[in-house]
Amino acid sequence: MPTDPIPRPTIYDVAQLAGVSKSLVSLVLRDAPHVSDVRREAVLAAIEELGYRPSPAASALASQRTRTVGVLIDDFHNPWFVELLAGLRSILDPAGYTASVADLQLEAASGRNPVDGFLAQHVDALVIAADPAEGTLDGVSAPIVVAGTREFGAAADAALVADVVAGDDALGARLATEHLIGLGHRSIGHLTGSSGPGAQRRRGYEEAMQAAGLDPLVFGERGGTSEADGYAAACALLDAHPGITGVVAANDVMAVGALAALRERGLTVPADVSVVGHDDSPLAAYRYLALTSVDGHSREVGAAAARTLLDRIDDPDAPPHRELLAPDLVVRSSTAPPPHP
């Protein structure tokens, strides 16, 4: 005959074995202060002996929290988000939070507002790693942390009071451009896009070019930042300026598009044209590409954003937090002095 399953131990069983109240067990589970060492050790010993595991659903009901964070990103195809999410999870997972991710582009194609989906899940907070359309965040009362440099539109930006954690995109683009200038390049184009990070990286490129007395050559301002966008912008750049010797791309996937455009024209990297990417994604480190790229420390941005988010959940009334992480340039074999100094 089948035997009845052994019932899971409950918080009441833990309290009874430890000789304490249920509420004190809850305090220990939340690692709350003001619990004596003796009682804390008794509760932990009872948990270990019984093999008790808290129920996430019960914990959510008790605390009125779901311990879920909604993460809104721009594009699953961009490797930058992989590192960002890894950084977020490195902090959220040990704290008992689950990340629920939505792609703004996919949701927009279906006509849905992804934030509405997050609110239906009763997420405890939001990480915005995208450029949401105006009105997307209307009516959101949950804590918000913005990861990366984002554009919200005039009205939304004026109403938004949020923590921001980002890499210094403008400084990163300056480092990339100054690297090429230092190698002797004077005809340097920039492939950009319409995103918030794209605007900051464009500004950094233009500042470095102007400081060196060189004319900025910007292409792709109204487009996206995918590989196809990088290819199209590079083709336009090469058509307008066939003597170009350097390219600074807004991200690594755009740089890959530029490499394809250069190869189609019979140009070799870096003998004919040097190329620099941005984000130092795993793509840039592939030996076949060996792409010089700006490391904006996206994993660290994600971890810092998660820590900021947890602080915000614990203290909703604290002043907004702003944090910029300094980038580094990682030099590989896609850059060299120009063919004709």
Side-chain angles (χ1 to χ4, degrees), residues 301-337:
V301 169
R307 285 191 290 268
T308 299
L309 194 71
L310 295 179
D311 290 343
R312 174 60 57 192
I313 291 172
D314 289 338
D315 188 1
D317 297 324
H321 172 79
R322 301 288 188 272
E323 183 176 355
L324 280 183
L325 278 66
D328 295 298
L329 182 69
V330 180
V331 178
R332 298 189 179 91
S333 60
S334 68
T335 53

Coordinates of all heavy atoms in Angstrom, one line a residue, residues 301-337:
V301 N 28.1 47.3 -12.9 CA 26.9 48.2 -13.0 C 25.7 47.4 -12.5 O 24.9 47.9 -11.6 CB 26.7 48.7 -14.4 CG1 25.3 49.4 -14.5 CG2 27.7 49.7 -14.8
G302 N 25.5 46.2 -12.9 CA 24.4 45.4 -12.5 C 24.4 45.1 -11.0 O 23.4 45.2 -10.3
A303 N 25.6 44.8 -10.4 CA 25.7 44.5 -9.0 C 25.4 45.7 -8.2 O 24.7 45.7 -7.2 CB 27.1 43.9 -8.7
A304 N 26.0 46.9 -8.6 CA 25.8 48.1 -7.9 C 24.3 48.6 -8.0 O 23.7 49.1 -7.0 CB 26.7 49.2 -8.5
A305 N 23.6 48.3 -9.1 CA 22.2 48.6 -9.3 C 21.4 47.8 -8.3 O 20.4 48.3 -7.7 CB 21.8 48.4 -10.7
A306 N 21.8 46.5 -8.2 CA 21.0 45.6 -7.3 C 21.2 46.0 -5.8 O 20.2 46.1 -5.1 CB 21.5 44.2 -7.5
R307 N 22.4 46.4 -5.4 CA 22.6 46.9 -4.1 C 21.8 48.2 -3.8 O 21.2 48.3 -2.7 CB 24.1 47.1 -3.8 CG 24.9 45.8 -3.7 CD 26.3 46.1 -3.2 NE 27.1 46.8 -4.2 CZ 27.9 46.2 -5.0 NH1 28.0 44.8 -5.0 NH2 28.6 46.8 -5.9
T308 N 21.8 49.0 -4.8 CA 21.1 50.3 -4.6 C 19.6 50.0 -4.5 O 18.8 50.6 -3.7 CB 21.3 51.2 -5.8 OG1 22.7 51.5 -5.9 CG2 20.5 52.5 -5.8
L309 N 19.1 49.0 -5.3 CA 17.7 48.7 -5.3 C 17.3 48.1 -3.9 O 16.2 48.5 -3.4 CB 17.4 47.6 -6.4 CG 15.9 47.4 -6.7 CD1 15.3 48.6 -7.4 CD2 15.8 46.2 -7.6
L310 N 18.1 47.2 -3.4 CA 17.8 46.7 -2.0 C 17.8 47.8 -1.0 O 16.9 47.8 -0.1 CB 18.8 45.6 -1.7 CG 18.8 44.3 -2.6 CD1 19.8 43.3 -2.1 CD2 17.4 43.7 -2.6
D311 N 18.7 48.7 -1.1 CA 18.7 49.8 -0.1 C 17.4 50.7 -0.3 O 16.9 51.1 0.7 CB 19.9 50.7 -0.4 CG 21.2 50.1 0.0 OD1 21.2 49.1 0.8 OD2 22.3 50.5 -0.4
R312 N 17.0 50.8 -1.5 CA 15.8 51.6 -1.8 C 14.5 50.9 -1.2 O 13.6 51.6 -0.7 CB 15.7 51.9 -3.3 CG 14.4 52.6 -3.7 CD 14.2 53.9 -3.1 NE 15.3 54.8 -3.4 CZ 15.6 56.0 -2.8 NH1 14.7 56.4 -1.9 NH2 16.6 56.7 -3.1
I313 N 14.5 49.6 -1.4 CA 13.3 48.9 -0.8 C 13.3 49.0 0.7 O 12.2 49.2 1.3 CB 13.4 47.4 -1.2 CG1 13.2 47.2 -2.7 CG2 12.4 46.5 -0.5 CD1 13.5 45.8 -3.3
D314 N 14.5 49.0 1.3 CA 14.5 49.1 2.8 C 14.3 50.5 3.3 O 13.7 50.7 4.4 CB 15.9 48.6 3.3 CG 16.0 47.1 3.2 OD1 15.0 46.4 3.1 OD2 17.2 46.6 3.2
D315 N 14.6 51.5 2.4 CA 14.4 52.9 2.8 C 13.9 53.7 1.7 O 14.6 54.4 1.0 CB 15.8 53.5 3.3 CG 15.7 54.9 3.9 OD1 14.5 55.4 4.0 OD2 16.7 55.5 4.3
P316 N 12.6 53.6 1.4 CA 12.0 54.3 0.3 C 12.1 55.8 0.3 O 12.0 56.4 -0.8 CB 10.5 53.9 0.4 CG 10.5 52.7 1.3 CD 11.6 52.9 2.2
D317 N 12.3 56.4 1.4 CA 12.4 57.9 1.5 C 13.8 58.5 1.4 O 14.0 59.7 1.5 CB 11.7 58.4 2.8 CG 10.3 58.0 2.9 OD1 9.6 58.0 1.8 OD2 9.8 57.6 4.0
A318 N 14.8 57.6 1.2 CA 16.2 58.2 1.1 C 16.3 59.0 -0.1 O 15.6 58.8 -1.1 CB 17.1 57.0 1.1
P319 N 17.3 60.0 -0.1 CA 17.5 60.8 -1.3 C 17.9 59.9 -2.5 O 18.6 58.9 -2.3 CB 18.6 61.8 -0.9 CG 18.6 61.7 0.6 CD 18.1 60.4 1.0
P320 N 17.6 60.3 -3.7 CA 18.1 59.6 -4.9 C 19.6 59.4 -5.0 O 20.3 60.3 -4.6 CB 17.6 60.4 -6.1 CG 16.4 61.2 -5.6 CD 16.8 61.5 -4.1
H321 N 20.0 58.2 -5.4 CA 21.4 57.8 -5.4 C 21.9 57.9 -6.9 O 21.2 57.4 -7.8 CB 21.6 56.4 -4.9 CG 22.9 55.8 -5.0 ND1 24.0 56.2 -4.2 CD2 23.4 54.9 -5.9 CE1 25.1 55.5 -4.6 NE2 24.7 54.7 -5.6
R322 N 23.0 58.5 -7.1 CA 23.6 58.6 -8.5 C 25.0 58.0 -8.4 O 25.8 58.5 -7.6 CB 23.6 60.0 -9.0 CG 22.3 60.7 -9.1 CD 21.5 60.1 -10.2 NE 20.2 60.9 -10.5 CZ 19.1 60.7 -9.8 NH1 19.0 59.7 -8.9 NH2 18.0 61.4 -10.1
E323 N 25.3 57.1 -9.3 CA 26.6 56.5 -9.3 C 27.1 56.2 -10.7 O 26.4 55.6 -11.5 CB 26.6 55.2 -8.5 CG 28.0 54.5 -8.4 CD 27.9 53.2 -7.5 OE1 26.8 52.9 -6.9 OE2 28.9 52.5 -7.4
L324 N 28.3 56.7 -11.0 CA 28.9 56.5 -12.3 C 30.2 55.7 -12.1 O 31.1 56.0 -11.3 CB 29.3 57.8 -13.0 CG 28.2 58.6 -13.7 CD1 28.8 59.8 -14.4 CD2 27.5 57.7 -14.8
L325 N 30.3 54.6 -12.9 CA 31.5 53.8 -12.8 C 32.5 54.1 -13.9 O 32.1 54.3 -15.1 CB 31.2 52.3 -12.9 CG 30.7 51.6 -11.6 CD1 29.3 52.1 -11.2 CD2 30.5 50.1 -11.8
A326 N 33.7 54.3 -13.6 CA 34.7 54.7 -14.6 C 35.1 53.6 -15.5 O 35.3 52.5 -15.0 CB 36.0 55.2 -13.9
P327 N 35.1 53.8 -16.8 CA 35.4 52.8 -17.8 C 36.9 52.6 -18.0 O 37.8 53.4 -17.5 CB 34.8 53.3 -19.1 CG 35.0 54.8 -18.9 CD 34.8 55.1 -17.5
D328 N 37.3 51.5 -18.7 CA 38.7 51.3 -19.1 C 38.7 50.9 -20.5 O 37.7 50.3 -21.1 CB 39.3 50.1 -18.3 CG 39.4 50.5 -16.8 OD1 40.2 51.4 -16.5 OD2 38.8 49.8 -15.9
L329 N 39.8 51.2 -21.2 CA 40.0 50.8 -22.6 C 40.8 49.5 -22.7 O 41.9 49.4 -22.1 CB 40.7 51.8 -23.4 CG 40.8 51.5 -24.9 CD1 39.5 51.6 -25.6 CD2 41.8 52.5 -25.6
V330 N 40.2 48.5 -23.3 CA 40.9 47.2 -23.5 C 41.4 47.1 -24.9 O 40.6 47.0 -25.9 CB 40.0 46.0 -23.2 CG1 40.8 44.7 -23.4 CG2 39.4 46.1 -21.8
V331 N 42.8 47.2 -25.1 CA 43.3 47.3 -26.4 C 43.6 45.9 -26.9 O 44.3 45.1 -26.3 CB 44.6 48.1 -26.4 CG1 45.3 48.2 -27.8 CG2 44.3 49.5 -26.0
R332 N 43.1 45.6 -28.1 CA 43.4 44.3 -28.8 C 43.9 44.6 -30.2 O 44.5 45.7 -30.4 CB 42.1 43.4 -28.8 CG 41.6 43.1 -27.4 CD 40.5 42.0 -27.4 NE 40.1 41.7 -26.1 CZ 39.1 42.3 -25.4 NH1 38.4 43.3 -26.0 NH2 38.7 41.9 -24.2
S333 N 43.8 43.6 -31.1 CA 44.5 43.8 -32.4 C 43.7 44.4 -33.5 O 44.1 44.4 -34.7 CB 45.0 42.4 -32.9 OG 43.9 41.5 -33.0
S334 N 42.5 45.0 -33.1 CA 41.7 45.7 -34.2 C 42.1 47.1 -34.4 O 41.5 47.8 -35.2 CB 40.2 45.6 -33.9 OG 39.9 46.4 -32.7
T335 N 43.1 47.6 -33.7 CA 43.6 49.0 -33.8 C 45.1 49.0 -34.0 O 45.8 48.2 -33.4 CB 43.2 49.9 -32.6 OG1 43.7 49.2 -31.4 CG2 41.7 50.0 -32.5
A336 N 45.5 49.9 -34.9 CA 47.0 50.1 -35.2 C 47.1 51.5 -35.8 O 46.1 52.2 -36.1 CB 47.4 49.0 -36.2
P337 N 48.4 52.0 -36.0 CA 48.6 53.3 -36.6 C 48.0 53.3 -38.0 O 47.9 52.2 -38.7 CB 50.1 53.4 -36.7 CG 50.6 52.6 -35.5 CD 49.6 51.4 -35.5

